Amino acid sequence: KYVASATGIALDDEGNCFISGYFNAASLSFPTSMATNITLENPGFAQGRYAQYVAKLDTVVGMVLWVTLLSSPGGSIPNTDNKLPSAIKIDKKGGIVYFGGAYGPPDDDVSASGTYDLSGTPVPAYGKLDMLLAQFSAETGAIVWIRTYGGRADDAIASLAVSKKKDGVILLANSESAEIELGDRVPTITMTRWDGCLLYTSDAADD
């Protein structure tokens, strides 16, 4: 069964619409005019895996201004519901797009050092499903940075909010891991129970 889904949506002050989602077909096309399209290829299609995307649309005519693929060379393994939910937010100045969701790196994408390539950025692999946080240019769709967080089980960002007092993003996540890694500047978090819920603030350039 092939699916193409939009799971996150946000609007900026100029009326532009930003969406995020996933697909498991060989490719997915987005109209840029009545006669032209941008087509994304799913690197993991042959293995039955998924790819994710972020896109900007002109809400006047509904055409895509840009679309960016998020994928490792082998695609992503979905969650137990065969989905990859995501959330998307625009910063207070309208120039930055935040994407939050999950990514399931297949074993053949993970190096001996425990990292994998996600759209050109090496990121740590933690467990079955990692929390995925990324920042994009709202103007061009270029990826500014990508971060992964998590533990040994399934972890996923469910919702995002942008801090109004400083450059940062607040994320709400679901976790089945006993412990969660959130980068070098945050101590390992021990969850008090399985299927936990986590609220965390990440600096805009969190390392």
Side-chain angles (χ1 to χ4, degrees):
K1 180 181 177 180
Y2 298 136
V3 296
S5 179
T7 56
I9 186 168
L11 296 173
D12 65 15
D13 292 339
E14 297 179 358
N16 296 301
C17 178
F18 298 82
I19 61 172
S20 59
Y22 62 89
F23 64 101
N24 66 351
S27 62
L28 183 63
S29 294
F30 298 81
T32 56
S33 72
M34 297 302 293
T36 60
N37 298 285
I38 297 176
T39 299
L40 300 181
E41 304 292 335
N42 177 6
F45 170 70
Q47 293 79 28
R49 297 169 186 157
Y50 290 47
Q52 299 185 78
Y53 67 87
V54 175
K56 179 180 180 180
L57 291 76
D58 178 355
T59 55
V60 177
V61 294
M63 297 299 174
V64 169
L65 301 175
W66 55 254
V67 60
T68 302
L69 181 74
L70 278 170
S71 181
S72 63
S76 176
I77 299 170
N79 66 13
T80 54
D81 295 325
N82 289 320
K83 298 178 180 179
L84 283 173
S86 61
I88 192 167
K89 287 290 182 182
I90 314 302
D91 80 329
K92 57 189 176 183
K93 298 178 182 178
I96 294 174
V97 180
Y98 289 105
F99 168 94
Y103 200 88
D107 290 342
D108 49 2
D109 276 358
V110 180
S111 69
S113 61
T115 64
Y116 59 101
D117 183 284
L118 189 52
S119 294
T121 299
V123 294
Y126 292 97
K128 297 178 183 178
L129 206 64
D130 298 333
M131 286 184 275
L132 171 58
L133 183 65
Q135 185 187 98
F136 298 80
S137 163
E139 182 65 27
T140 66
I143 297 172
V144 180
W145 50 254
I146 300 176
R147 303 286 185 268
T148 54
Y149 312 108
R152 292 188 174 275
D154 285 356
D155 308 296
I157 294 174
S159 183
L160 295 174
V162 177
S163 173
K164 295 182 179 180
K165 295 184 178 180
K166 65 175 184 176
D167 293 333
V169 60
I170 301 168
L171 61 90
L172 179 66
N174 296 312
S175 175
E176 295 180 356
S177 297
E179 293 185 340
I180 298 175
E181 299 288 340
L182 290 170
D184 295 337
R185 290 187 286 173
V186 181
T188 298
I189 294 177
T190 300
M191 305 301 287
T192 56
R193 62 182 180 86
W194 294 99
D195 195 20
C197 185
L198 172 71
L199 183 65
Y200 170 64
T201 301
S202 171
D203 289 345
D206 189 10
D207 294 323

